[in-house]
Amino acid sequence: MKNFFVAGFLFFGFATNAQNTKVDNLVKADSARLIAIFKDLHANPELGFMETRTAGIVEKELKALGFKTISGLGKTGVVGILENGSGPVVMYRADMDCNAVKETTGVPYASTKVVKKDDGTETPVMHACGHDAHTTWLIGLAKLMTQLKADWKGTLIMLAQPAEEPILGAEAMVNDGLYKKGVPEPDYLFGMHTAPVPVGIVAAAKGVRMAGTDQIDVVFKGIGGHGSNPQLSKDPIVMAAAAIMQYQVIVSRAIDPQKAAVLTIGSVQAGSDNNVIPASALVKINLRWFDEKDRNLMIDGIKRINKGIAYAYNLPDSMMPLMTMKGWAYPLDNSDSLTAKIVRGIKTVVPDKNILKEDRLAAVMGSEDFHHLVIHNNKKNYCYINVGIANPDVFAKAIKEGKALPFNAHNGDFLVDTNAIPFGLRVAAVGILEIFKPK
């Protein structure tokens, strides 16, 4: 395992043809600037729909390169459009938001930011999912494509999206008139995400790659009171606890065990004092699914459980639990033809053994809203790939210790190796240049 991944890293810097040599030289020339941008973005993370600083950096960079820019889409989204003759319309997307996670990496540019959320609470934040790298790749790709205008023809759209983490940003941009404010509908949509595997590895597979998801809030209403007189109250914490246990039975006893589905409780919020029964309790639920029938089964099951518990506590109809559907996404299903085209480009700079395709890569329960930028359009050709960002030595050490990965996304130790910045840019460049090539 160690030799395989280390070998995958050592090819970095190799170019196989004249165009790739140009790409290689341009990437090398811009690497120091891009790594500095990446470190700045990493040190200054912003939560979903709060990415004003990040969006400003993207817009400034795109404008300086001659892109027509449109900002404020979906609150903080930014789009840059570059017309370069007759050809396909290709959109490249990067997400900008961070996580409500405290950073523990210890790097000099680690985030120390603490922000106030919409509910008034404060939380430490960091880029624990690589969106800082995604945004940096977009900035680097925009410059590179302007430098290579003689090598492609068509229209390039660079899209910096807010709020991927709550699965709200893509739909927000579309609903805010993305395609009614001067952005042409793309023939192709391309995007990349970090993966905690070694720099030098790329996962580019066709078909269904990621699960569908729903974010659901349930508020159990009760009657508050003194902790010493529970008989005078209706305890929403007990209701929530009962519901949480019953929710788990939906997947374990109602979903076909040969099918994949997940129901996770990510947060329970109720009360503040030891001796006070609160008037309400909030339960935050996350669903993952591949079959929409299973999705509906879970949602209907949650509704029935909520209602049953409320009746068991003899609550009137006016105090039934309040269920709010928030961010959501369908399973991500990569286009066969577009994926094959992108892989063809990537193969010119990445050894085939280091490209994980569908025969070596199972679909994951993670989710994305990337494809929601185009699923409502007539053309739905999209491809989303993963790029290794872990230091190969760190990865090899983790494997030797019996770990599956050196770190995982959404954890405080998530760390993008700076070598992944030029590597990812090069992968994006050869992929998008291949898309622009005539059929």
Side-chain angles (χ1 to χ4, degrees):
M1 188 74 112
K2 177 180 177 181
N3 290 338
F4 171 82
F5 284 112
V6 172
F9 174 71
L10 292 179
F11 83 91
F12 179 71
F14 179 74
T16 59
N17 56 42
Q19 184 181 75
N20 287 353
T21 299
K22 286 193 287 185
V23 169
D24 192 47
N25 290 336
L26 292 170
V27 169
K28 287 178 179 176
D30 204 23
S31 289
R33 179 185 78 100
L34 292 174
I35 289 172
I37 289 173
F38 162 74
K39 289 180 177 180
D40 175 68
L41 293 174
H42 186 85
N44 294 280
E46 297 172 300
L47 291 173
F49 296 126
M50 299 181 185
E51 312 95 336
T52 53
R53 182 181 186 275
T54 306
I57 291 170
V58 172
E59 184 178 16
K60 181 180 177 181
E61 292 286 340
L62 293 177
K63 277 186 175 180
L65 292 168
F67 282 78
K68 172 189 173 184
T69 61
I70 305 171
S71 61
L73 288 165
K75 194 170 184 179
T76 49
V78 179
V79 173
I81 304 166
L82 184 66
E83 296 179 348
N84 187 33
S86 178
V89 178
V90 181
M91 178 181 285
Y92 182 86
R93 174 268 204 178
D95 39 12
M96 301 182 289
D97 57 324
C98 71
N99 307 95
V101 172
K102 181 177 176 60
E103 181 155 3
T104 59
T105 62
V107 296
Y109 51 92
S111 170
T112 58
K113 301 292 183 181
V114 175
V115 303
K116 183 174 288 187
K117 298 196 293 184
D118 290 339
D119 62 5
T121 61
E122 291 189 339
T123 180
V125 293
M126 74 166 288
H127 276 292
C129 204
H131 296 189
D132 45 355
H134 303 173
T135 303
T136 305
W137 288 334
L138 180 146
I139 290 170
L141 183 62
K143 181 176 180 180
L144 188 146
M145 292 299 283
T146 61
Q147 294 169 314
L148 292 175
K149 286 179 73 172
D151 291 65
W152 61 276
K153 295 296 179 185
T155 298
L156 175 64
I157 304 170
M158 307 300 284
L159 184 144
Q161 180 199 306
E164 184 278 331
E165 293 296 350
I167 312 291
L168 290 168
E171 287 281 342
M173 291 187 75
V174 172
N175 292 336
D176 195 26
L178 175 65
Y179 299 116
K180 297 176 182 178
K181 296 182 178 180
V183 180
E185 290 192 7
D187 298 306
Y188 305 102
L189 171 64
F190 179 34
M192 307 197 312
H193 198 293
T194 59
V197 297
V199 177
I201 304 299
V202 177
K206 64 185 180 183
V208 176
R209 308 315 316 158
M210 303 182 81
T213 186
D214 287 275
Q215 316 274 21
I216 303 171
D217 283 358
V218 175
V219 175
F220 288 91
K221 301 176 183 180
I223 298 174
H226 200 289
S228 65
N229 296 306
Q231 76 278 10
L232 302 178
S233 301
K234 301 284 187 182
D235 194 336
I237 294 179
V238 176
M239 297 180 210
I244 289 168
M245 298 308 297
Q246 290 184 47
Y247 292 157
Q248 304 309 313
V249 180
I250 299 173
V251 173
S252 66
R253 287 297 176 268
I255 303 279
D256 183 338
Q258 292 185 319
K259 298 171 74 174
V262 176
L263 191 159
T264 294
I265 307 300
S267 176
V268 182
Q269 301 172 17
S272 58
D273 296 324
N274 295 55
N275 63 344
V276 176
I277 295 172
S280 66
L282 170 63
V283 178
K284 292 179 175 286
I285 307 170
N286 177 246
L287 306 182
R288 307 285 168 150
W289 45 273
F290 288 102
D291 187 329
E292 195 162 7
K293 291 181 180 178
D294 292 335
R295 175 202 189 196
N296 292 333
L297 191 154
M298 287 190 285
I299 292 172
D300 290 343
I302 291 168
K303 290 178 180 177
R304 287 195 300 272
I305 288 169
N306 294 346
K307 191 172 183 179
I309 288 173
Y311 277 125
Y313 278 79
N314 196 29
L315 292 176
D317 289 345
S318 62
M319 294 182 68
M320 288 293 109
L322 178 64
M323 182 167 163
T324 304
M325 306 295 294
K326 302 194 301 182
W328 64 281
Y330 285 119
L332 189 149
D333 188 356
N334 278 341
S335 160
D336 289 4
S337 59
L338 180 58
T339 303
K341 196 173 181 69
I342 290 170
V343 168
R344 191 159 59 244
I346 295 172
K347 279 184 176 181
T348 65
V349 295
V350 179
D352 190 58
K353 68 177 182 178
N354 291 355
I355 304 174
L356 306 181
K357 297 187 278 292
E358 56 278 354
D359 58 337
R360 300 164 63 193
L361 194 68
V364 299
M365 297 307 296
S367 303
E368 255 286 348
D369 67 352
F370 156 84
H371 49 307
H372 278 242
L373 292 168
V374 297
I375 61 170
H376 306 297
N377 299 351
N378 291 325
K379 295 180 180 179
K380 302 174 178 62
N381 293 316
Y382 61 83
C383 178
Y384 199 59
I385 69 173
N386 294 92
V387 176
I389 51 82
N391 179 288
D393 292 335
V394 173
F395 185 90
K397 181 175 182 291
I399 297 300
K400 189 175 181 180
E401 293 171 350
K403 300 176 182 177
L405 297 167
F407 47 79
N408 202 357
H410 294 199
N411 196 49
D413 62 355
F414 187 90
L415 183 60
V416 175
D417 189 286
T418 54
N419 284 315
I421 300 305
F423 173 69
L425 173 55
R426 176 185 246 212
V427 169
V430 296
I432 208 158
L433 285 168
E434 191 69 28
I435 298 173
F436 274 110
K437 286 182 180 178
K439 294 181 180 179

